[in-house]
Amino acid sequence: MTDAPLSSAPPADAPLAGPSPADPVADTITLPPVAPAPYADPRHPQGHPGGGSLAGLETRDVSAWFGTRKVLERVSLAMPAGGVTALIGPSGCGKSTYLRILNRMHEMVRGAALAGEVLLDGDDVYRPGRRPAEVRRRIGMVFQRPNPFPAMSIQDNVASGLKLAGIKVSKEERRDLVETSLRRAGLWDEVSTRLHTPGGALSGGQQQRLCIARSLAVSPDILLMDEPCSALDPTSTRRVEETIAELRGRLTIVIVTHNMQQAQRVSQSCAFFLATHDTPGRIVEAGPTEQIFGSPRDQRTSDYVNGRFG
Amino acid sequence: MTTLDLPPVAASGPAGAPAPAAVDPPRPEKRIRIGGVTRDDVLTVAGAATGSLALDWVLYERVLPFSGAFGFLICWYLLFLAGYYLLGRLQWNPMMVRDRLIAVVAWSSGLLVVGLIADQIGYVGSRGWEAAQHLNFFTESMEHTGPLDPLTSGGALNAIVGSLEQLGLATLFAVPLGIAAAVFMSEVGGRLARPVRTLVEAMTALPSIVAGLFILGVVIITFGFEKSGLAASLALTVMMMPIVTRAAEVVIRLVPGTLREASYALGGSQWRTVWNVVLPTARPGLVTAVVLGMARGVGETSPVLLTSGFTSQFNGSPVDGHQVSLPLYIWNYVKQPYDGMIARGFAAGLTLMGVVLILFVTARVLGGRRPGQLTRAQRRRFDREARRQRAAAAGGVARPYALPPRAER
Ligand SMILES: Nc1ncnc2c1ncn2[C@@H]1O[C@H](COP(=O)(O)OP(=O)(O)O)[C@@H](O)[C@H]1O
Ligand SMILES: [Mg+2]
């Protein structure tokens, strides 16, 4: 154990050798801003919570450890507000770990530690005194395997975030919220007549869209998706991609995918992660999606996106 | 939206041969019987059973110098297995015979257990019916009944009420405590979880008389409370809590971690995650845990023997005065030398079994509802709402794709 901070909370004096956060960090890749959002969330004309104004996400020098093993090395990346950022890379290179650092799920793993800064709207989510639950409500997450709550009906699943976050709403608001969220997730037409049936009775693809609706119901600023389609059939995958396309501009999406075509279809910016057996995962190249896929600067990126390794 | 428009596939050549122009009307479909028992199977078992019975009779009654029903039955069973094996060998290969033999042994063990239970229930039922057929058994206490009074006088109302009250109170104490302990061990964890688990495991093996002694020593002798239904329910709590805890912990651990993650990712605190996700998901199992605990508690005699005191009077209050319960009632009357009293004891036993049965059925009905299923009232309300919405939509107030801004309303 040489350089791993022991606590899961970020040490106040994190071993940030090198540039201080105030400096323009040398290898932060700043992505071009995305075209202005076509329409903002109508329910929140402005301000927080649940930001009608789009919030971006940026990490500076994020490293991560499991026990003494370092799995991420100084990852700096800016994920533009309102855009879709795809994280690609061979498995085991730390994409999921990185994603879980963004919404403070990483610290729930025993023995996990991290360093660096994660800025949501310019404010560090690991700032001492910030409650993880509040951060997670603003940064939603969709998992690889659909995981609707089996003890709840479809509508209760969608509204579960309110209950879990302790938000009180009237019955009408709740019903409207269920409908809006399901519509946004592209599931309303399929389930509107059986909202009270168990969420577990849906097909895999529908369950995943239900999970998306559930995340959207708490109006997050950011939505993280960890290989959301890897357990789905092609048709369901297409539906989820359509959903992502519709959500674009309403909130910031970060998606991990192993499917190069999918990354190209859904994302505007892209980051390529790579780890080798003895070096922790790091970003090899990041930039606009067309550039990563069209004219990558790094040989390894070019090999990966063209399917020559990984 | 979901339909994919694929290019039309050109009709493939030989594989998709055109159907013959004229087809015979299809034969009526006959369903294939899967599994099931053939006549040969039944006859083999029956033959082995009768053959071995006859042989057993000859051996037992004419040849061997023993007698007695128990030995007769055992010999019959062994001869039956041997006979079945021989008959099987005549028709099937060794592998199949072994398979069937094991199936027959499994079936007969099951039948044996069912038979024993039926025998037990039947015995208690037939002995208890004598007293239980008189309705006064359920509506009177033993206050004004002497030892030689007929069965049309006196009953077990005091014990039934006492049992229900004591069990209810004990459940009220044991279930929240037990589930809280289980949540602590499985969700909170930490360094204390292990000693707590060890303690709970040790407590499940606690002899019930010791639970009674504990309450007797602490509550009645040290604090000076009198023997009462409440003291008895505390003793029952000591018995029931470890069982509820153990069973609840097992089912809580079965809740997938991905659901907890989903809840945390939605901004749920640990407490809300446990309350809204973990416990509801584990609900059917938790109900089983509660039923296990209640089943343990309702039949316990020794803890109540030491703590509730005995009375032949009706006492509806668990907090003051002695209060009898069904096990204690049975214990007290069955050992008396009067036929009427013994009959009342058996009738109380029958009642106790009835109480247990009602408890189990209630718990199954309450806990067996599938997750996410609504109660009938909820479903009706939902249907009403759906109808109203459909009517509104038909009236031309179709909703736009996205909701109108909230400010408008
Ligand atoms: N809970 C864990 N405990 C220990 N090591 C882990 C854990 N989760 C992931 N890792 C390790 O961290 C590395 C990165 O994993 P992950 O972020 O899941 O990769 P990816 O999502 O890119 O496939 C892998 O080498 C993996 O073995
Ligand atoms: Mg992963």
Side-chain angles (χ1 to χ4, degrees):
Chain A
M1 167 116 23
T2 49
D3 54 352
L6 273 171
S7 72
S8 59
D13 51 345
L16 275 176
S20 80
D23 297 336
V25 181
D27 54 348
T28 300
I29 297 116
T30 313
L31 297 164
V34 176
Y39 37 81
D41 185 339
R43 291 178 304 143
H44 299 283
Q46 72 233 134
H48 287 120
S53 62
L54 294 164
L57 199 57
E58 182 181 353
T59 64
R60 292 187 185 156
D61 282 332
V62 163
S63 300
W65 293 262
F66 283 109
T68 53
R69 201 162 86 81
K70 196 170 191 182
V71 298
L72 275 182
E73 170 81 35
R74 292 179 190 275
V75 177
S76 300
L77 180 70
M79 287 147 275
V84 179
T85 304
L87 310 181
I88 58 173
S91 66
C93 65
K95 305 179 299 296
S96 298
T97 307
Y98 179 70
L99 211 60
R100 291 165 60 90
I101 286 174
L102 298 182
N103 72 338
R104 297 194 66 163
M105 296 286 282
H106 178 66
E107 66 204 52
M108 295 187 4
V109 178
R110 188 186 290 251
L114 72 146
E117 283 177 83
V118 178
L119 304 177
L120 170 62
D121 241 1
D123 189 8
D124 192 354
V125 303
Y126 285 99
R127 175 165 50 75
R130 202 151 179 190
R131 282 178 53 240
E134 185 257 68
V135 171
R136 292 183 196 132
R137 204 179 63 67
R138 291 187 55 191
I139 308 182
M141 187 159 195
V142 174
F143 297 82
Q144 186 170 356
R145 304 206 70 85
N147 53 1
F149 298 127
M152 296 183 194
S153 65
I154 291 174
Q155 54 184 353
D156 289 348
N157 256 291
V158 176
S160 60
L162 300 181
K163 227 182 188 180
L164 288 166
I167 304 170
K168 292 255 181 317
V169 293
S170 74
K171 268 214 180 108
E172 288 72 41
E173 277 178 316
R174 198 181 113 103
R175 200 172 42 225
D176 290 347
L177 184 68
V178 167
E179 181 173 344
T180 335
S181 307
L182 282 171
R183 279 194 192 284
R184 290 212 176 135
L187 191 60
W188 175 254
D189 298 329
E190 285 155 73
V191 301
S192 59
T193 55
R194 45 175 174 149
L195 288 175
H196 60 283
T197 58
L202 298 173
S203 77
Q206 290 172 328
Q207 285 187 16
Q208 191 65 298
R209 277 177 280 146
L210 178 60
C211 292
I212 295 175
R214 179 176 71 183
S215 300
L216 294 177
V218 290
S219 338
D221 296 325
I222 318 280
L223 188 61
L224 311 176
M225 305 175 113
D226 192 354
E227 300 180 38
C229 300
S230 64
L232 305 186
D233 63 283
T235 314
S236 305
T237 301
R238 219 186 70 152
R239 303 281 289 114
V240 171
E241 284 181 18
E242 283 168 7
T243 303
I244 295 173
E246 263 162 46
L247 291 174
R248 187 188 150 199
R250 289 172 191 246
L251 72 173
T252 309
I253 295 180
V254 185
I255 178 173
V256 171
T257 175
H258 280 297
N259 182 330
M260 293 303 118
Q261 287 78 38
Q262 183 171 60
Q264 274 176 287
R265 282 193 298 264
V266 301
S267 74
Q268 291 86 54
S269 53
C270 193
F272 173 51
F273 282 66
L274 193 60
T276 58
H277 58 89
D278 54 354
T279 60
R282 49 162 66 235
I283 291 187
V284 170
E285 187 171 352
T289 303
E290 314 90 77
Q291 184 202 315
I292 295 285
F293 284 90
S295 52
R297 273 187 245 115
D298 196 289
Q299 183 58 37
R300 290 167 295 176
T301 314
S302 149
D303 287 348
Y304 184 76
V305 299
N306 293 310
R308 279 197 286 273
F309 84 89
Chain B
M1 224 167 160
T2 41
T3 30
L4 293 170
D5 8 45
L6 295 171
V9 181
S12 49
V23 259
D24 299 329
R27 272 182 297 150
E29 288 165 303
K30 197 167 147 235
R31 296 200 183 187
I32 298 172
R33 261 184 65 198
I34 296 173
V37 198
T38 64
R39 208 180 43 177
D40 286 359
D41 296 340
V42 177
L43 287 182
T44 310
V45 171
T50 24
S52 56
L53 179 63
L55 186 59
D56 192 31
W57 184 82
V58 170
L59 280 178
Y60 239 75
E61 303 292 318
R62 293 289 178 266
V63 180
L64 292 175
F66 324 122
S67 60
F70 189 63
F72 183 88
L73 287 176
I74 295 219
C75 275
W76 181 21
Y77 185 61
L78 293 178
L79 287 170
F80 163 71
L81 289 184
Y84 186 77
Y85 180 79
L86 287 179
L87 280 182
R89 276 308 271 125
L90 293 178
Q91 358 173 16
W92 308 310
N93 64 20
M95 192 79 147
M96 197 158 162
V97 175
R98 209 178 318 143
D99 221 46
R100 303 258 169 140
L101 203 60
I102 289 173
V104 164
V105 170
W107 265 94
S108 48
S109 324
L111 286 179
L112 178 72
V113 172
V114 172
L116 285 179
I117 292 175
D119 179 56
Q120 227 172 1
I121 294 177
Y123 180 70
V124 175
S126 66
R127 297 272 324 247
W129 181 242
E130 197 189 344
Q133 63 185 309
H134 304 291
L135 226 72
N136 60 290
F137 185 77
F138 302 101
T139 56
E140 287 179 21
S141 72
M142 293 296 284
E143 191 173 355
H144 307 294
T145 308
L148 295 173
D149 282 352
L151 290 175
T152 47
S153 137
L157 179 67
N158 51 345
I160 295 171
V161 170
S163 252
L164 291 180
E165 283 184 1
Q166 289 170 18
L167 183 68
L169 280 175
T171 308
L172 212 63
F173 301 143
V175 168
L177 275 176
I179 292 183
V183 165
F184 170 74
M185 284 190 282
S186 58
E187 299 292 311
V188 183
R191 217 177 307 157
L192 261 178
R194 188 186 283 265
V196 169
R197 186 173 303 121
T198 314
L199 195 72
V200 166
E201 268 167 23
M203 270 177 79
T204 51
L206 187 74
S208 55
I209 191 83
V210 177
L213 278 176
F214 170 67
I215 298 299
L216 179 73
V218 173
V219 177
I220 295 170
I221 295 177
T222 309
F223 289 129
F225 293 101
E226 66 175 335
K227 288 185 176 181
S228 65
L230 182 65
S233 67
L234 289 178
L236 290 180
T237 305
V238 176
M239 295 309 301
M240 288 164 62
M241 200 200 79
I243 295 187
V244 175
T245 308
R246 284 264 307 234
E249 195 204 353
V250 170
V251 297
I252 288 177
R253 278 186 183 281
L254 286 180
V255 174
T258 53
L259 298 182
R260 295 187 182 89
E261 282 202 331
S263 168
Y264 288 127
L266 286 167
S269 61
Q270 184 174 38
W271 159 242
R272 284 186 197 274
T273 302
V274 167
W275 187 251
N276 291 314
V277 175
V278 176
L279 291 182
T281 309
R283 194 185 61 179
L286 290 176
V287 170
T288 311
V290 171
V291 170
L292 278 179
M294 290 174 87
R296 172 81 190 259
V298 73
E300 281 296 348
T301 317
S302 38
V304 295
L305 185 64
L306 295 177
T307 50
S308 76
F310 182 84
T311 171
S312 58
Q313 295 172 11
F314 180 86
N315 177 9
S317 159
V319 285
D320 51 15
H322 293 182
Q323 191 186 43
V324 71
S325 57
L326 281 168
L328 199 53
Y329 184 98
I330 300 170
W331 181 81
N332 189 60
Y333 289 111
V334 159
K335 66 185 164 77
Q336 293 193 5
Y338 311 104
D339 285 344
M341 289 305 188
I342 294 176
R344 289 191 182 97
F346 273 101
L350 190 62
T351 314
L352 187 55
M353 289 198 294
V355 169
V356 173
L357 185 71
I358 292 173
L359 281 180
F360 269 76
V361 171
T362 317
R364 277 284 130 227
V365 170
L366 286 183
R369 216 180 331 128
R370 283 229 319 288
Q373 229 166 314
L374 300 189
T375 61
R376 196 172 312 155
Q378 280 171 302
R379 189 151 345 123
R380 225 177 297 134
R381 199 174 56 227
F382 178 84
D383 287 346
R384 213 167 36 235
E385 234 152 52
R387 233 172 299 134
R388 214 181 38 227
Q389 275 182 3
R390 262 200 304 277
V397 210
R399 282 166 184 270
Y401 184 72
L403 273 192
R406 188 158 288 172
E408 250 178 50
R409 274 176 272 145

